[in-house]
Every structure is written in C-alpha cells, then in structure tokens.
Amino acid sequence: MSQVRRKSTRWVIFVLLLCVAAFVIMPILVVLMNSFKSRFYISSEPFIFPNSETFIGMENYTSGIQKIKFFHSFFISLWITVASVVLIQLLTSMLAWYITRVKGTVTTLIYYLLVFSMIVPFQMVMFTMSKFANMLHLDNPVGIVVLYAGFGAGMATFMFAGFIKSIPLALEEAAMIDGATPVQTFFQVVMPMLKSMSVTIAILNTMWVWNDYLLPYLTIGTTYRTIPVAIQYLRGGYGSVDMGAMMAMLVLAMIPVIVFYLLGQKHIIKGVLAGAVKG
Amino acid sequence: MEKTLKKYFALFALPGLICFCIAFLIPMVWGLVLSFCEFTNITNATFVGLDNYIKAFTVDGYFIHSFWFTLLFTIVTVVSINVFAFILALFLTRDVPGTNTFRTIFFMPNLIGGIVLGWIWQVIINGVLAKYDATILSQTRYGFWGLVVLMNWQNVGYMMVIYVAALQNVSSDMLEAASIDGSGYFNTLFRITIPSVAPSITICLFMTLTNGFKLFDQNLALTAGAPNHTTEMLALNIFSTFYSRIGFEGVGQAKAVIFTLLVAAIAISQLFVTRSKEVES
C-alpha cells in the first residue's frame, strides 16, 4: 500500500517538475519563435507560431545585426570580459598572497577596505568613477579593464585570501630556503595550489563582466557598445522599439551564454555555490 | 620569509591597489564629499551642507515612493523565491528521474544578463496583457508583478542549487531515526530537515534581500520606471536623478549615500546574524 503511494507521489513530483521546466524554457522559446516574425505581429500576439503571413525568415537578424553592429559588440564584450577576468585573477591573487603572508596594520587595513568595497553598491561611485576615468583617459576598451580590475578586486581578493589562509606555510618556506625568490615561489608554488579557487573566481567574474550594463554604458557607451549596452540602445530615443530586431538580438545575445553554460555547467554551478557561501 | 616578501610590496600589492584606488576608493571618497556640494561636473563643486539630503526627499515624491516600492518588492521576492526554491530543492533530492537535467534547466536563467531578461519578459507580459488591451506600462501594479515574476524566474534556480547542496548534507542517520520513531513527513521536515539547513536559509535570505534591493538592469529594461516614475526602484531613481535632470547631480549623490547606508545595514545585520549562529552551535 505505502509502496504504491510512494510510487504515485514520485510521478506527481515528476510531472510538477516537468511543468516548472516548461515555465523556465517557455520565455526563451517565445523569443526564438518571434525572432522570425514580422515586427508588427510581435507585441499583439507573441504566443502564436509564425505563419505564411507573419514569417519573414532571417530579416530581423540581418536588420538587427546592422542596426546595433552586433558582431562589433560581441568582440568588444569578449575582449573586455577576457581581459578583465585575466587581469583580476593575476592582480588579486598576488595581492591576496601578500596581505595574508605579510602581517601588519597596513595589510590589515587593505583587507578591510577590500571587504568594505564588496558592500558598497555601484550607484555610490558611478558618477565620480566615470568622470574620473574620463580624466585619466581610461574611457576606452583598454582602460575599462583597469576599472573592472579595481571594482572586482574586493570579492576576488577576499576569496583568494580566505583560501590562502588554509594553505600550510611550510611549502612556501621550503621553496624560499631552497633559494627561490618570492616571484618564483608565487608563480611556481602558490599559484598552482590556487587552481580550484581560480576557476570559481573566474566564473563569477565572467558572469558579472559579460552581463554588466552600467559600467560600460557610463564609461565607453557612446563609442563602444558591449552586448547589453547595444541591446538597450535598440530602444531608441523616443521609446519606439523595433521589436523584430530586438527579438533576433536577444536570441544572439543568449547563444554565447547558453553555450558557455552547457560547456562548463559543472564548474559553473560549483563555482556559484562556493561564491554564495563565501560572499 | 615575511621579511623578504615585505620588500616586494610594489610588485605584488601595488598594481591591484592602484586599480582599486582608481575604480573604487577615490571615487567613493570623492562621491561622499560631493554629496554635500552642488555641482554639474566634479570640478565645479560648491559646498552646500545638507541641502542635497533635504532636497532628496522634498523636491519630488519619487525617491520616497521608490523606497516603498523597493521595500515591498524585496519582501515579496524574498518570500516567494525562497519558498519556491526550497520546494523545488525538496523535490529534486527525492528519488525522481532526471534530477540532474532539471537542475541544469532551472539554474540556467541565472546566467542571462538583466537587460536581456528585462526585454524577454516585456514581450511575454505584454503578450498576456494584450488580451485585456493593456501593456506593462499602463499600470503600476503590472510593472510590479512583472518584476516579481522576472525576479523569481531568474533567482529560484540559483537558491534551489544552494538548498539542494544543503539538503544532501542532512544526516541520513537522523532522518532514519525519525522515521523509525514514526515521525510523519511534515513533522520530520519542520523538526529535523529545516533546522539542519538553517545556515543555508540565512545565506539565501540575505542574498535575495540584497539582490532585490540593488536591482537595476531588469528594472531599466522592463519598465524603465514608467508610468510616471511609479515603478522606479531605488537604484533606477538614483540613476535618473543623476542623468536626466541637469543640476541635480548633488541630489543624486546624496541619494546614493543613503542607498549605500541601507545596503550596508543589510550586510552588517547579515554578519551579526551569522556570527551569533556560529556562537550558538
């Protein structure tokens, strides 16, 4: 009797989960479907399949790509994300090693300032930061990497430092006694041990930088548009939106994210979990 | 070792610190100072005392409205996201086929950026409302519930992953002992399972709380504050004070300081809650 009941609850749960999965995927499918429809039919009836009257093939894609120079944006986004993530990894792992291994008031102060920066919302610094970046000529695709390194330093250093504290000192000391310089010790002994933490931090930063809107909009948005900035730009000045091109560009914007997710799914979920528990 | 390493400050610590000062520390201090000044550019500031802070509340009702809107939104989303996420996590830790695939699907929306999400949901919600001859911009409550649905869609999978990990660590001995003693499903759930995952619940509550409070991208793309600023959340209100009204930069900066204090208060209370829990256990 209870066996039968358990089996039937199992199936009820399974069906419920299927419904939730459908709800999760549905919005993405609706956007995909509408990206092939003429823009006049999108706002009024988005849930109807394209038919001979509304289907326009790849027209939304070609016009959208032209309007926002999608591939240009794609490469800007790609460059900023890769360069920022690499720079954050390098600078913060060195900084974290230094402040955990050299004890003193200065390093303690640095540590608390970094932790403090994790709490402060972007709105607090957005105006002054973008003006300051402009003064220092950092308002270009190279300079923005420095800004990301600075704004991302808090969380990454905090996570690296927490990890380095758990590594025994003995290995580093042995290397130094054997005559290794601090540079050699760091790159040949410490860095290889940071590997798992590096993956976590790189994933969290990739998701942040790739999807970030305000920072690139305020600093380089007028000349170089990352994907989120380009998408929002489609809105135009007076609220008139070409919904056809919008649908097509949303699809193109989601493809890299979904590919990234399917390739690194295990690491991503693990990384996000670790980030949540630490942060 | 410490002595040798100490001399390498310029190599190991300085590059990161320079970036940190440029992007965060200097703009932060500068912003704090400017919140007491009137300016249109960071170089032409004149000291005006608390004027900006007073103006933030008195010049129009939008800031106070956005505070209540944000607060209500945050309460609704914190409760709904965590309830849904916990129920899904309970389902996924049972012996059901395809749990890994479900987990993969449920988590996915979390990776999509806020701007893209906002536009996706604008189409869906407008499509539903089209049957009633309305759009998401026609009434404040449409925008509010639209944001709630969007936020749930994005965050439930994330919190669920955290709950799944916690539930998998609940001691199976305890659960077995309970079932031998004849404890029913809900009794076990409330007396054993939920207390065992309490630390994760704290983490998730605070994460959803801060995410709700700081929401910006989704708000901008979904409603942009329309109609008439009534769906504007705090972060968006600060943004529009800065960039759509010339001469109000100081007021925007003052609002940003208030906003920072609110967010910091949440973060500090999280620290206290987690600390006191650690002492207990």
Side-chain angles (χ1 to χ4, degrees):
Chain A
M1 186 46 194
S2 78
Q3 199 78 46
V4 177
R5 234 178 66 190
R6 196 168 293 166
K7 235 183 180 166
S8 62
T9 25
R10 253 182 75 179
W11 284 107
V12 171
I13 289 175
F14 183 71
V15 172
L16 277 174
L17 287 172
L18 273 184
C19 295
V20 178
F23 177 74
V24 172
I25 297 177
M26 180 274 295
I28 295 170
L29 292 183
V30 170
V31 170
L32 183 67
M33 190 170 90
N34 282 290
S35 70
F36 300 108
K37 284 204 301 212
S38 159
R39 63 190 155 119
F40 305 109
Y41 299 93
I42 293 172
S43 324
S44 51
E45 42 197 48
F47 306 120
I48 299 169
F49 261 99
N51 54 37
S52 55
E53 187 194 348
T54 57
F55 182 77
I56 55 161
M58 302 301 280
E59 216 172 279
N60 288 330
Y61 286 85
T62 46
S63 79
I65 288 170
Q66 254 178 10
K67 265 188 188 159
I68 62 168
K69 299 200 199 98
F70 181 83
F71 291 106
H72 184 244
S73 291
F74 176 81
F75 285 112
I76 301 257
S77 274
L78 189 67
W79 151 255
I80 293 178
T81 307
V82 172
S84 306
V85 170
V86 170
L87 192 68
I88 293 175
Q89 277 330 80
L90 183 71
L91 297 188
T92 60
S93 59
M94 294 196 304
L95 179 60
W97 187 54
Y98 188 88
I99 62 173
T100 17
R101 291 308 185 223
V102 178
K103 295 268 174 256
T105 18
V106 179
T107 52
T108 316
L109 179 72
I110 293 172
Y111 180 77
Y112 282 112
L113 278 174
L114 288 163
V115 172
F116 170 69
S117 80
M118 289 164 66
I119 300 172
V120 176
F122 186 68
Q123 276 70 24
M124 178 66 207
V125 297
M126 69 177 178
F127 185 80
T128 37
M129 185 221 254
S130 53
K131 296 287 175 205
F132 193 40
N134 179 266
M135 279 167 63
L136 298 175
H137 301 291
L138 291 172
D139 50 351
N140 52 62
V142 177
I144 196 173
V145 174
V146 173
L147 299 180
Y148 272 117
F151 213 73
M155 190 199 66
T157 315
F158 173 73
M159 287 175 75
F160 271 129
F163 189 76
I164 290 170
K165 271 178 208 151
S166 69
I167 306 176
L169 250 175
L171 276 170
E172 294 157 38
E173 270 171 345
M176 299 272 242
I177 289 165
D178 287 347
T181 62
V183 179
Q184 286 169 323
T185 312
F186 179 75
F187 285 101
Q188 291 169 8
V189 180
V190 180
M191 229 181 184
M193 290 191 287
L194 297 179
K195 212 174 142 200
S196 69
M197 190 38 88
S198 296
V199 174
T200 301
I201 294 172
I203 284 168
L204 291 174
N205 284 328
T206 306
M207 285 165 51
W208 165 50
V209 179
W210 182 268
N211 289 326
D212 195 24
Y213 171 76
L214 263 185
L215 203 160
Y217 170 76
L218 292 175
T219 50
I220 60 171
T222 41
T223 20
Y224 305 94
R225 298 190 195 102
T226 60
I227 292 177
V229 179
I231 299 251
Q232 188 63 19
Y233 176 75
L234 254 186
R235 185 166 183 257
Y238 301 95
S240 62
V241 190
D242 177 351
M243 279 317 252
M246 177 62 89
M247 293 300 105
M249 293 308 100
L250 291 178
V251 172
L252 291 187
M254 281 188 286
I255 290 173
V257 177
I258 292 174
V259 170
F260 173 71
Y261 179 49
L262 293 179
L263 288 179
Q265 199 225 112
K266 250 195 193 138
H267 291 291
I268 292 169
I269 292 188
K270 224 166 62 191
V272 167
L273 248 176
V277 179
K278 293 270 154 50
Chain B
M1 181 186 137
E2 208 178 307
K3 257 189 180 163
T4 345
L5 185 59
K6 212 170 177 180
K7 293 178 209 139
Y8 283 76
F9 179 81
L11 183 70
F12 284 106
L14 204 57
L17 283 179
I18 290 174
C19 295
F20 180 67
C21 289
I22 292 176
F24 178 79
L25 206 57
I26 295 170
M28 161 85 207
V29 175
W30 205 336
L32 194 61
V33 172
L34 283 183
S35 73
F36 300 101
C37 300
E38 196 180 301
F39 61 97
T40 50
N41 200 311
I42 44 175
T43 45
N44 65 359
T46 47
F47 184 77
V48 292
L50 286 172
D51 230 31
N52 291 326
Y53 289 87
I54 296 162
K55 269 191 191 156
F57 296 99
T58 52
V59 79
D60 55 39
Y62 299 149
F63 187 55
I64 294 173
H65 181 275
S66 74
F67 172 76
W68 292 114
F69 189 87
T70 308
L71 190 67
L72 192 64
F73 170 81
T74 309
I75 293 169
V76 172
T77 51
V78 166
V79 173
S80 59
I81 289 171
N82 283 291
V83 168
F84 286 136
F86 197 80
I87 292 172
L88 285 180
L90 284 176
F91 286 171
L92 285 188
T93 44
R94 294 175 69 131
D95 182 26
V96 177
T99 44
N100 274 333
T101 316
F102 282 127
R103 197 176 71 150
T104 308
I105 294 171
F106 295 166
F107 183 77
M108 185 197 51
N110 194 254
L111 275 89
I112 300 173
I115 296 289
V116 175
L117 276 175
W119 285 102
I120 294 176
W121 278 95
Q122 200 187 99
V123 176
I124 310 270
I125 292 163
N126 279 339
V128 174
L129 290 175
K131 293 194 178 74
Y132 308 98
D133 267 327
T135 72
I136 191 160
L137 304 181
S138 39
Q139 280 195 38
T140 308
R141 60 194 168 109
Y142 294 156
F144 179 83
W145 290 107
L147 277 168
V148 169
V149 173
L150 183 160
M151 200 64 178
N152 271 276
W153 189 73
Q154 183 185 18
N155 283 295
V156 164
Y158 187 177
M159 300 307 137
M160 180 204 75
V161 165
I162 299 174
Y163 286 134
V164 166
L167 288 171
Q168 280 166 345
N169 283 330
V170 174
S171 137
S172 53
D173 289 354
M174 260 205 302
L175 295 176
E176 218 169 282
S179 94
I180 290 169
D181 288 347
S183 160
Y185 178 77
F186 285 101
N187 195 30
T188 315
L189 179 69
F190 285 105
R191 301 246 173 125
I192 295 177
T193 315
I194 290 180
S196 316
V197 299
S200 300
I201 296 177
T202 317
I203 290 173
C204 289
L205 285 180
F206 276 105
M207 264 173 57
T208 40
L209 193 62
T210 0
N211 285 348
F213 236 83
K214 296 206 290 192
L215 196 75
F216 178 83
D217 295 4
Q218 289 84 334
N219 193 194
L220 178 71
L222 191 69
T223 67
N228 189 28
H229 297 271
T230 51
T231 61
E232 212 169 54
M233 294 180 61
L234 280 168
L236 185 59
N237 178 268
I238 293 168
F239 179 81
S240 50
T241 312
F242 264 123
Y243 295 102
S244 31
R245 299 177 77 171
I246 293 167
F248 277 77
E249 288 82 355
V251 181
Q253 192 60 57
K255 287 179 180 179
V257 174
I258 297 168
F259 183 51
T260 305
L261 291 176
L262 284 171
V263 175
I266 296 175
I268 290 166
S269 54
Q270 172 174 22
L271 200 71
F272 274 107
V273 171
T274 353
R275 279 268 168 85
S276 64
K277 279 252 171 67
E278 270 165 16
V279 175
E280 267 170 43
S281 62

